[in-house]
Amino acid sequence: MTLSEGARAGTRELEMLDSLLALGGLVLLRDSVEWEGRSLLKALVKKSALCGEQVHILGCEVSEEEFREGFDSDINNRLVYHDFFRDPLNWSKTGEALPGGPLGALRAMCNRTDLGPVTIALDSLSWLLLHLPCTILCQTLHTVSHQDSCPPGDGSPVGKVHVLGLLHEELHGRGPMGALSSLAQTEVTLGGTMGQASARILCRRPRQRPTDQTQWFSILPDFSLDLQEGPSIESQPHSDPHIPPVDPTAHLTFNLHLSKKEREARDNLTLPFQFSSEKQEALLRPRPSQATSHIFYEPDAYDDLDQEDPDDDLDI
């Protein structure tokens, strides 16, 4: 890679990260089993720390050591880590945990006195959804992510608040997913194909139409992004025209095909429940030469026939 190509790649990386953090508010990172999102979360945390923002990490799903792994000492020194992984319910009573758990930590950030920009990374929203009521969590997220829209009484400018939420969408139903999606200003859905990761970025700007774009990327060991071109059509798997198609009926124990004679015999066969024209003619219009049937009834000696009440013997 030449120097100019490296500069262009670095510019594209900054443009992608800036587009995720430009709006402020809640940034929803939706990952799956095949395409994990914690690496992208750490890339955004690194970008915010390098911009001089306060960065708070609510670690609920992995240990602090695992989350800090891969960051250099300069980045780690700028992170304020709230460890809810080791003792989420404060059973040890060490006094280190904030009262109220992760929800209490979020509410405490609503009352911050520093008016500079701040980034709050939730690792993860799925853990919080499994331990907290969805309505209370959504209300708290709305309050935290909209602090910059409520300036203080002295008129001082308030920096943007970025809330980065990692969400494992396969763990939740449509209700919680829809509620969080309605709160998010930016949604990032991770996917990919042919071993290449992609991010579908949906941005909702006030009084503007939402924008939707897809970025192909890979994350380097230092949590910087390497933007790539999408997989070409030629590289995608396709059938070889020189290889004959496989017949799925080739090795069956029964025959699915009929010969010409078998097909003619099947077409000429009249089934018992089918009324042919000849059968209808025979049933509905008997021929004059055809003998007709008659019913003769001779009363028994014990029959008591009453012409006025023929059903008298039925006792009805």
Side-chain angles (χ1 to χ4, degrees):
M1 179 184 293
T2 63
L3 184 59
S4 60
E5 291 175 347
R8 285 196 297 270
T11 302
R12 292 198 305 269
E13 173 192 355
L14 292 177
E15 288 177 353
M16 176 180 173
L17 294 176
D18 288 339
S19 65
L20 295 179
L21 300 175
L23 299 180
L26 177 60
V27 179
L28 202 60
L29 305 178
R30 301 170 59 165
D31 70 353
S32 61
V33 174
E34 293 82 6
W35 304 98
E36 61 89 19
R38 184 166 289 110
S39 298
L40 182 58
L41 175 67
K42 296 174 73 169
L44 293 172
V45 166
K46 176 183 175 181
K47 171 67 167 56
S48 298
L50 291 177
C51 291
E53 298 184 10
Q54 292 188 32
V55 181
H56 294 263
I57 313 296
L58 265 69
C60 307
E61 205 166 76
V62 298
S63 64
E64 180 178 358
E65 293 78 12
E66 182 177 348
F67 188 89
R68 290 181 178 272
E69 184 178 357
F71 291 137
D72 57 28
S73 58
D74 183 42
I75 299 296
N76 277 321
N77 291 334
R78 302 184 186 189
L79 304 183
V80 180
Y81 198 91
H82 306 274
D83 189 0
F84 296 100
F85 173 79
R86 197 181 311 274
D87 186 14
L89 300 179
N90 195 24
W91 286 350
S92 59
K93 303 297 181 181
T94 58
E96 299 177 358
L98 289 175
L103 195 61
L106 280 174
R107 288 170 175 168
M109 295 176 190
C110 297
N111 302 322
R112 63 191 181 100
T113 57
D114 192 347
L115 303 181
V118 62
T119 295
I120 304 171
L122 307 178
D123 187 14
S124 66
L125 264 177
S126 291
W127 190 96
L128 296 175
L129 272 177
L130 295 175
H131 293 80
L132 298 172
C134 180
T135 53
I136 296 178
L137 179 61
C138 289
Q139 291 171 0
T140 307
L141 288 175
H142 180 271
T143 303
V144 174
S145 59
H146 288 76
Q147 291 183 65
D148 53 347
S149 62
C150 302
D154 58 358
S156 302
V158 180
K160 286 187 176 181
V161 178
H162 304 103
V163 180
L164 311 176
L166 179 60
L167 185 66
H168 312 311
E169 59 181 0
E170 296 168 331
L171 299 180
H172 312 288
R174 293 183 178 181
M177 294 293 296
L180 291 173
S181 177
S182 64
L183 288 176
Q185 280 70 40
T186 305
E187 280 189 79
V188 182
T189 304
L190 297 175
T193 183
M194 300 289 294
Q196 265 188 286
S198 67
R200 180 174 176 266
I201 305 171
L202 176 63
C203 297
R204 301 183 180 93
R205 292 177 172 83
R207 297 178 296 278
Q208 295 184 20
R209 295 183 62 182
T211 60
D212 193 350
Q213 61 176 329
T214 300
Q215 296 279 0
W216 298 86
F217 68 97
S218 62
I219 299 179
L220 303 179
D222 63 345
F223 298 107
S224 58
L225 296 185
D226 180 18
L227 296 185
Q228 303 168 349
E229 299 292 336
S232 61
I233 299 178
E234 291 78 8
S235 64
Q236 297 180 7
H238 58 278
S239 58
D240 191 345
H242 302 289
I243 300 177
V246 178
D247 185 6
T249 65
H251 303 288
L252 296 178
T253 58
F254 53 90
N255 188 15
L256 292 177
H257 305 287
L258 296 178
S259 64
K260 183 178 180 180
K261 291 183 178 180
E262 291 172 339
R263 191 176 295 107
E264 291 177 354
R266 182 194 63 182
D267 295 339
N268 295 329
L269 179 63
T270 302
L271 298 177
F273 51 82
Q274 290 181 335
F275 280 87
S276 62
S277 58
E278 294 81 2
K279 185 178 292 188
Q280 291 179 1
E281 183 72 20
L283 292 176
L284 300 178
R285 296 181 181 180
R287 297 175 183 177
S289 60
Q290 185 178 3
T292 58
S293 300
H294 300 278
I295 299 176
F296 297 94
Y297 174 70
E298 185 175 350
D300 191 77
Y302 297 98
D303 286 345
D304 184 12
L305 298 178
D306 188 354
Q307 297 298 333
E308 295 183 359
D309 188 8
D311 297 329
D312 181 55
D313 59 330
L314 301 179
D315 295 331
I316 58 174

